Amino acid sequence: MNASNIKGYIFDLDGTLIDSMPLWYNVDRIFLSEHGVTPPNNISDIVKKMTVEQSSKYFLDTFNLKVSQQEIINRIEEIVAENYRDTIPLKLGILELLDYLDSKNIPYGVATATYRTLAVSCLTRLGLINRIKFLETCSEVGKGKEYPDIFFKCAENMGLSPKDIAVVEDSLYCLETAKNHGFLTIGIYDKSSKSDWINIQNTCNLTFQSAKDFLNYLVIG
């Protein structure tokens, strides 16, 4: 793949732009523990492909909780909101990578399974909210990233076809969805996806250990 042919980028948020996966690893455990449930060891693997709406319904149905689905959503948002607003940092090299794309007038935006309110608060604090061309969420699109809808919506926002757009992600299933529907794919390593890294390497057009490595490739290429 020739990087010079890429006309636009769709970035994942969690684990790709921002270092938030440790928080998401723990939030389900915190919530379930508050309701007297000992979280299964594989709870993160179970819910990582779900939207917040899907995971809250899963908690409700599986653990027979005496709260409403909306109360679950509200509590999870409350747990993570402070971190998104105040502490979660950018991944290493992201700022420099986006500076480079800006210098080349290459549009980019964000496609995320996270709540819009959380994404906006974090991106605002980090100074990125006015730099991205769009912010699309799975909740608003109505489907998770196992479906291509959110990626097609992002392509529409840029006025580009999938073959001209690179989807930058750290999650295997998201990259598989994008690839299977005509997008270029770039995998960025995150510790949360360590077990999938070989498959990510086999799936993507390009893979990098960090955004810094990706930037070096773009500059040299």
Side-chain angles (χ1 to χ4, degrees), residues 12-69:
D12 172 50
L13 182 64
D14 297 281
T16 301
L17 290 181
I18 64 174
D19 193 14
S20 56
M21 296 313 294
L23 171 64
W24 285 110
Y25 179 83
N26 287 314
V27 67
D28 302 312
R29 291 168 169 78
I30 294 170
F31 172 79
L32 291 173
S33 296
E34 287 179 346
H35 289 269
V37 175
T38 300
N41 290 333
N42 64 339
I43 189 65
S44 295
D45 291 330
I46 292 172
V47 303
K48 71 179 182 180
K49 295 184 180 181
M50 299 180 183
T51 65
V52 177
E53 287 75 14
Q54 290 169 335
S55 64
S56 61
K57 187 175 189 307
Y58 171 79
F59 292 155
L60 197 62
D61 295 343
T62 304
F63 302 110
N64 194 30
L65 302 178
K66 305 303 182 184
V67 293
S68 69
Q69 184 177 355

Side-chain angles (χ1 to χ4, degrees), residues 135-189:
L135 171 63
E136 297 292 346
T137 71
C138 292
S139 297
E140 291 167 330
V141 171
K143 290 184 178 179
K145 289 184 181 178
E146 66 271 28
Y147 298 97
D149 301 57
I150 192 167
F151 299 125
F152 286 137
K153 177 64 174 174
C154 292
E156 180 183 331
N157 290 334
M158 287 189 282
L160 298 172
S161 63
K163 66 181 178 61
D164 296 321
I165 299 171
V167 172
V168 187
E169 280 268 3
D170 65 298
S171 296
L172 175 61
Y173 81 99
C174 304
L175 291 160
E176 289 175 334
T177 299
K179 181 180 181 180
N180 290 338
H181 290 85
F183 292 85
L184 303 171
T185 50
I186 298 175
I188 302 291
Y189 181 82

Side-chain angles (χ1 to χ4, degrees), residues 13 17-18 90 95 98 102 108-110 112 115-137:
L13 182 64
L17 290 181
I18 64 174
L90 285 172
L95 191 59
L98 298 184
D102 286 342
Y108 55 87
V110 174
T112 181
Y115 307 108
R116 174 172 289 273
T117 53
L118 297 177
V120 168
S121 68
C122 188
L123 291 170
T124 298
R125 171 174 56 83
L126 295 170
L128 299 184
I129 194 65
N130 293 323
R131 295 177 62 173
I132 60 175
K133 186 175 179 63
F134 55 83
L135 171 63
E136 297 292 346
T137 71

